[in-house]
Amino acid sequence: MDNTTGMTAPQPVKSYKAMAVTSWILIILTALLSIVPVFGFGAWLLAFIVIPITLVLSIVILTRGGKAQGIFLLITSVLLLPIFIICAPLVSTVVLGTSISAREKAQEMEIKVNLRGLSLAKAEWTLETNPADGAAVTLTQLKVYLAGNDLKPIVGETYDPMPIGQEPTATLPATKSLAAHPKGSVITNGPVVIPETTPSASSPPPANADTPTPSPTAGE
């Protein structure tokens, strides 16, 4: 007599590897998205979908015997992933902003170096040609005095040597801002220095000038 009659065959253990792989792919993709500066904040919206899915899958994995895998997925879904997607975009955006700020400061300094060179060339040209105050100046006139160095735009700016008595300027493109300068703004290397003028002989004496005291007449 067969003793096995009436005994049920053991059920095969269901595999959980596919669910584990799917869970880790979702977690890794969400984490990678959160690293992207600025756009990484969108990972928070994705997490509202990914976290519940991986949470359910980790529980199913536990019921199918994947104790270590299920516990690790559970901790990652509930604790590690939320913390990561909160911190990662903030850090990456700050780092990007700092990098852009440092680069723009360097570009601003390069523009000011160009303006300084243009100002020196203009001063040399003024000494040699002795133009009238307010006379127009062109880049072509100053090219020889720039020691053969053309003014290469740093961010697409345009240079204007300006008339005599004014400092050269660099104008940003209408679509480009730089450091603290808004789009299309004018950058100068410093304030315009106005030389002191000597009063002419016909000018009236200052109000506090000393006046000679008339000498008394002999009859007094």
Side-chain angles (χ1 to χ4, degrees):
M1 188 174 182
D2 190 359
N3 294 330
T4 61
T5 303
M7 295 181 61
T8 58
Q11 296 293 328
V13 178
K14 295 182 179 180
S15 176
Y16 56 83
K17 291 183 179 180
M19 289 186 291
V21 171
T22 302
S23 299
W24 286 117
I25 289 175
L26 291 174
I27 289 173
I28 291 172
L29 288 177
T30 305
L32 289 177
L33 176 61
S34 68
I35 296 174
V36 180
V38 182
F39 294 102
F41 292 102
W44 297 352
L45 299 176
L46 183 60
F48 285 109
I49 301 173
V50 172
I51 291 177
I53 292 175
T54 55
L55 184 60
V56 171
L57 291 177
S58 63
I59 295 173
V60 174
I61 290 171
L62 282 171
T63 61
R64 293 189 178 183
K67 186 176 181 181
Q69 188 79 257
I71 292 175
F72 193 26
L73 272 173
L74 192 62
I75 294 174
T76 303
S77 301
V78 175
L79 184 62
L80 299 182
L81 183 60
I83 293 175
F84 187 85
I85 62 177
I86 289 174
C87 298
L90 292 173
V91 173
S92 61
T93 302
V94 169
V95 170
L96 176 64
T98 303
S99 175
I100 292 176
S101 177
R103 185 185 65 181
E104 290 191 350
K105 283 290 184 183
Q107 290 174 333
E108 181 187 21
M109 289 303 299
E110 291 180 35
I111 291 175
K112 291 194 173 185
V113 167
N114 283 346
L115 288 172
R116 191 174 299 114
L118 186 58
S119 182
L120 292 174
K122 183 179 175 183
E124 291 182 23
W125 179 82
T126 302
L127 288 175
E128 289 192 10
T129 60
N130 193 25
D133 190 27
V137 186
T138 64
L139 290 175
T140 304
Q141 292 172 315
L142 302 181
K143 188 172 183 179
V144 177
Y145 301 90
L146 289 170
N149 297 323
D150 293 332
L151 292 175
K152 296 180 179 179
I154 308 302
V155 292
E157 72 281 2
T158 55
Y159 292 92
D160 186 351
M162 299 298 288
I164 299 299
Q166 300 180 41
E167 283 292 311
T169 63
T171 304
L172 295 176
T175 57
K176 173 66 179 177
S177 61
L178 184 67
H181 306 283
K183 298 176 181 179
S185 62
V186 177
I187 302 175
T188 59
N189 196 38
V192 177
V193 179
I194 303 176
E196 296 181 358
T197 56
T198 305
S200 59
S202 60
S203 301
N208 61 349
D210 294 333
T211 57
T213 305
S215 58
T217 59
E220 292 181 356

PDB file of all heavy atoms in Angstrom, residues 8 19 23 27 41 68 74 101 127 131 140 149 164 175 184-185 196 200 207 219-220:
ATOM      1  N   THR A   8       0.111  15.787  -0.090  1.00  0.00           N
ATOM      2  CA  THR A   8       0.312  16.820  -1.115  1.00  0.00           C
ATOM      3  C   THR A   8       1.800  17.010  -1.368  1.00  0.00           C
ATOM      4  O   THR A   8       2.614  16.977  -0.438  1.00  0.00           O
ATOM      5  CB  THR A   8      -0.306  18.152  -0.674  1.00  0.00           C
ATOM      6  OG1 THR A   8       0.282  18.560   0.558  1.00  0.00           O
ATOM      7  CG2 THR A   8      -1.813  18.009  -0.506  1.00  0.00           C
ATOM      8  N   MET A  19      11.912  40.471  -9.019  1.00  0.00           N
ATOM      9  CA  MET A  19      11.387  41.609  -8.268  1.00  0.00           C
ATOM     10  C   MET A  19      12.512  42.415  -7.623  1.00  0.00           C
ATOM     11  O   MET A  19      12.453  43.644  -7.561  1.00  0.00           O
ATOM     12  CB  MET A  19      10.403  41.119  -7.207  1.00  0.00           C
ATOM     13  CG  MET A  19       9.088  40.614  -7.783  1.00  0.00           C
ATOM     14  SD  MET A  19       7.890  40.193  -6.504  1.00  0.00           S
ATOM     15  CE  MET A  19       8.677  38.749  -5.795  1.00  0.00           C
ATOM     16  N   SER A  23      13.349  46.309  -8.422  1.00  0.00           N
ATOM     17  CA  SER A  23      13.376  47.285  -7.329  1.00  0.00           C
ATOM     18  C   SER A  23      14.666  48.095  -7.352  1.00  0.00           C
ATOM     19  O   SER A  23      14.640  49.330  -7.235  1.00  0.00           O
ATOM     20  CB  SER A  23      13.228  46.573  -5.982  1.00  0.00           C
ATOM     21  OG  SER A  23      12.004  45.887  -5.907  1.00  0.00           O
ATOM     22  N   ILE A  27      15.254  52.139  -7.938  1.00  0.00           N
ATOM     23  CA  ILE A  27      15.932  52.937  -6.909  1.00  0.00           C
ATOM     24  C   ILE A  27      17.145  53.653  -7.496  1.00  0.00           C
ATOM     25  O   ILE A  27      17.371  54.855  -7.258  1.00  0.00           O
ATOM     26  CB  ILE A  27      16.344  52.034  -5.727  1.00  0.00           C
ATOM     27  CG1 ILE A  27      15.104  51.600  -4.948  1.00  0.00           C
ATOM     28  CG2 ILE A  27      17.320  52.764  -4.805  1.00  0.00           C
ATOM     29  CD1 ILE A  27      15.378  50.568  -3.871  1.00  0.00           C
ATOM     30  N   PHE A  41      15.464  67.993  -8.633  1.00  0.00           N
ATOM     31  CA  PHE A  41      14.317  68.169  -7.736  1.00  0.00           C
ATOM     32  C   PHE A  41      13.096  67.407  -8.250  1.00  0.00           C
ATOM     33  O   PHE A  41      12.175  67.117  -7.491  1.00  0.00           O
ATOM     34  CB  PHE A  41      13.995  69.658  -7.590  1.00  0.00           C
ATOM     35  CG  PHE A  41      15.053  70.424  -6.847  1.00  0.00           C
ATOM     36  CD1 PHE A  41      15.964  71.210  -7.520  1.00  0.00           C
ATOM     37  CD2 PHE A  41      15.143  70.339  -5.464  1.00  0.00           C
ATOM     38  CE1 PHE A  41      16.948  71.913  -6.842  1.00  0.00           C
ATOM     39  CE2 PHE A  41      16.115  71.038  -4.763  1.00  0.00           C
ATOM     40  CZ  PHE A  41      17.028  71.835  -5.457  1.00  0.00           C
ATOM     41  N   ALA A  68      17.413  38.728   3.684  1.00  0.00           N
ATOM     42  CA  ALA A  68      18.431  39.787   3.625  1.00  0.00           C
ATOM     43  C   ALA A  68      18.095  40.792   2.529  1.00  0.00           C
ATOM     44  O   ALA A  68      18.165  42.016   2.733  1.00  0.00           O
ATOM     45  CB  ALA A  68      19.807  39.169   3.395  1.00  0.00           C
ATOM     46  N   LEU A  74      13.853  47.187   1.975  1.00  0.00           N
ATOM     47  CA  LEU A  74      12.903  47.897   2.829  1.00  0.00           C
ATOM     48  C   LEU A  74      13.554  49.126   3.457  1.00  0.00           C
ATOM     49  O   LEU A  74      12.977  50.228   3.465  1.00  0.00           O
ATOM     50  CB  LEU A  74      12.391  46.943   3.915  1.00  0.00           C
ATOM     51  CG  LEU A  74      11.179  47.402   4.728  1.00  0.00           C
ATOM     52  CD1 LEU A  74       9.971  47.588   3.831  1.00  0.00           C
ATOM     53  CD2 LEU A  74      10.884  46.410   5.833  1.00  0.00           C
ATOM     54  N   SER A 101      29.342  80.811 -10.692  1.00  0.00           N
ATOM     55  CA  SER A 101      29.695  82.108 -10.131  1.00  0.00           C
ATOM     56  C   SER A 101      31.195  82.365 -10.240  1.00  0.00           C
ATOM     57  O   SER A 101      31.621  83.464 -10.606  1.00  0.00           O
ATOM     58  CB  SER A 101      29.251  82.186  -8.669  1.00  0.00           C
ATOM     59  OG  SER A 101      29.631  83.409  -8.087  1.00  0.00           O
ATOM     60  N   LEU A 127      48.349 111.190 -25.834  1.00  0.00           N
ATOM     61  CA  LEU A 127      49.606 111.917 -25.652  1.00  0.00           C
ATOM     62  C   LEU A 127      50.257 112.250 -26.992  1.00  0.00           C
ATOM     63  O   LEU A 127      50.866 113.319 -27.149  1.00  0.00           O
ATOM     64  CB  LEU A 127      50.562 111.098 -24.780  1.00  0.00           C
ATOM     65  CG  LEU A 127      50.210 110.989 -23.292  1.00  0.00           C
ATOM     66  CD1 LEU A 127      51.173 110.042 -22.595  1.00  0.00           C
ATOM     67  CD2 LEU A 127      50.229 112.360 -22.630  1.00  0.00           C
ATOM     68  N   PRO A 131      44.362 115.236 -28.942  1.00  0.00           N
ATOM     69  CA  PRO A 131      43.042 115.599 -29.464  1.00  0.00           C
ATOM     70  C   PRO A 131      42.295 116.509 -28.496  1.00  0.00           C
ATOM     71  O   PRO A 131      42.660 116.633 -27.326  1.00  0.00           O
ATOM     72  CB  PRO A 131      42.343 114.251 -29.603  1.00  0.00           C
ATOM     73  CG  PRO A 131      42.951 113.433 -28.516  1.00  0.00           C
ATOM     74  CD  PRO A 131      44.384 113.876 -28.404  1.00  0.00           C
ATOM     75  N   THR A 140      40.080 101.261 -34.320  1.00  0.00           N
ATOM     76  CA  THR A 140      41.079 101.233 -35.389  1.00  0.00           C
ATOM     77  C   THR A 140      42.227 102.168 -35.070  1.00  0.00           C
ATOM     78  O   THR A 140      43.408 101.843 -35.304  1.00  0.00           O
ATOM     79  CB  THR A 140      40.429 101.629 -36.731  1.00  0.00           C
ATOM     80  OG1 THR A 140      39.328 100.758 -36.990  1.00  0.00           O
ATOM     81  CG2 THR A 140      41.434 101.543 -37.862  1.00  0.00           C
ATOM     82  N   ASN A 149      47.707  93.321 -29.936  1.00  0.00           N
ATOM     83  CA  ASN A 149      46.731  92.391 -29.349  1.00  0.00           C
ATOM     84  C   ASN A 149      45.315  92.879 -29.628  1.00  0.00           C
ATOM     85  O   ASN A 149      44.919  93.957 -29.192  1.00  0.00           O
ATOM     86  CB  ASN A 149      46.938  92.284 -27.826  1.00  0.00           C
ATOM     87  CG  ASN A 149      48.301  91.714 -27.494  1.00  0.00           C
ATOM     88  OD1 ASN A 149      48.797  90.841 -28.192  1.00  0.00           O
ATOM     89  ND2 ASN A 149      48.901  92.217 -26.421  1.00  0.00           N
ATOM     90  N   ILE A 164      37.283 111.243 -25.824  1.00  0.00           N
ATOM     91  CA  ILE A 164      38.301 111.707 -24.884  1.00  0.00           C
ATOM     92  C   ILE A 164      37.618 112.265 -23.639  1.00  0.00           C
ATOM     93  O   ILE A 164      36.671 113.040 -23.716  1.00  0.00           O
ATOM     94  CB  ILE A 164      39.186 112.804 -25.538  1.00  0.00           C
ATOM     95  CG1 ILE A 164      39.911 112.242 -26.757  1.00  0.00           C
ATOM     96  CG2 ILE A 164      40.192 113.360 -24.533  1.00  0.00           C
ATOM     97  CD1 ILE A 164      40.836 111.087 -26.449  1.00  0.00           C
ATOM     98  N   THR A 175      21.291  89.110 -24.523  1.00  0.00           N
ATOM     99  CA  THR A 175      20.825  87.822 -23.989  1.00  0.00           C
ATOM    100  C   THR A 175      21.780  87.242 -22.952  1.00  0.00           C
ATOM    101  O   THR A 175      21.598  86.100 -22.535  1.00  0.00           O
ATOM    102  CB  THR A 175      20.665  86.804 -25.134  1.00  0.00           C
ATOM    103  OG1 THR A 175      21.916  86.672 -25.831  1.00  0.00           O
ATOM    104  CG2 THR A 175      19.605  87.264 -26.127  1.00  0.00           C
ATOM    105  N   GLY A 184      22.820  92.772 -21.277  1.00  0.00           N
ATOM    106  CA  GLY A 184      22.948  93.998 -22.052  1.00  0.00           C
ATOM    107  C   GLY A 184      23.528  95.172 -21.303  1.00  0.00           C
ATOM    108  O   GLY A 184      23.514  96.295 -21.811  1.00  0.00           O
ATOM    109  N   SER A 185      24.049  94.958 -20.091  1.00  0.00           N
ATOM    110  CA  SER A 185      24.584  96.075 -19.310  1.00  0.00           C
ATOM    111  C   SER A 185      25.965  96.491 -19.793  1.00  0.00           C
ATOM    112  O   SER A 185      26.637  95.768 -20.526  1.00  0.00           O
ATOM    113  CB  SER A 185      24.643  95.705 -17.829  1.00  0.00           C
ATOM    114  OG  SER A 185      25.516  94.609 -17.632  1.00  0.00           O
ATOM    115  N   GLU A 196      41.942 118.177 -12.791  1.00  0.00           N
ATOM    116  CA  GLU A 196      41.662 119.505 -12.258  1.00  0.00           C
ATOM    117  C   GLU A 196      42.078 120.557 -13.276  1.00  0.00           C
ATOM    118  O   GLU A 196      43.088 120.430 -13.959  1.00  0.00           O
ATOM    119  CB  GLU A 196      42.421 119.718 -10.947  1.00  0.00           C
ATOM    120  CG  GLU A 196      41.975 118.771  -9.837  1.00  0.00           C
ATOM    121  CD  GLU A 196      42.729 119.036  -8.551  1.00  0.00           C
ATOM    122  OE1 GLU A 196      43.599 119.929  -8.565  1.00  0.00           O
ATOM    123  OE2 GLU A 196      42.456 118.353  -7.555  1.00  0.00           O
ATOM    124  N   SER A 200      41.597 130.507 -15.090  1.00  0.00           N
ATOM    125  CA  SER A 200      42.197 131.464 -16.008  1.00  0.00           C
ATOM    126  C   SER A 200      42.376 132.809 -15.332  1.00  0.00           C
ATOM    127  O   SER A 200      41.832 133.087 -14.266  1.00  0.00           O
ATOM    128  CB  SER A 200      41.298 131.622 -17.239  1.00  0.00           C
ATOM    129  OG  SER A 200      40.019 132.076 -16.837  1.00  0.00           O
ATOM    130  N   ALA A 207      36.099 133.924  -3.070  1.00  0.00           N
ATOM    131  CA  ALA A 207      35.481 134.829  -2.097  1.00  0.00           C
ATOM    132  C   ALA A 207      36.337 135.014  -0.867  1.00  0.00           C
ATOM    133  O   ALA A 207      36.309 136.059  -0.235  1.00  0.00           O
ATOM    134  CB  ALA A 207      34.100 134.285  -1.703  1.00  0.00           C
ATOM    135  N   GLY A 219      47.932 162.750   4.207  1.00  0.00           N
ATOM    136  CA  GLY A 219      47.231 163.788   4.961  1.00  0.00           C
ATOM    137  C   GLY A 219      46.473 163.273   6.143  1.00  0.00           C
ATOM    138  O   GLY A 219      45.916 164.021   6.925  1.00  0.00           O
ATOM    139  N   GLU A 220      46.352 161.994   6.240  1.00  0.00           N
ATOM    140  CA  GLU A 220      45.575 161.437   7.356  1.00  0.00           C
ATOM    141  C   GLU A 220      46.441 161.308   8.607  1.00  0.00           C
ATOM    142  O   GLU A 220      47.609 160.961   8.518  1.00  0.00           O
ATOM    143  CB  GLU A 220      44.993 160.104   6.967  1.00  0.00           C
ATOM    144  CG  GLU A 220      43.935 160.222   5.892  1.00  0.00           C
ATOM    145  CD  GLU A 220      43.321 158.883   5.513  1.00  0.00           C
ATOM    146  OE1 GLU A 220      43.804 157.886   6.060  1.00  0.00           O
ATOM    147  OE2 GLU A 220      42.387 158.828   4.701  1.00  0.00           O
TER     148      GLU A 220
END
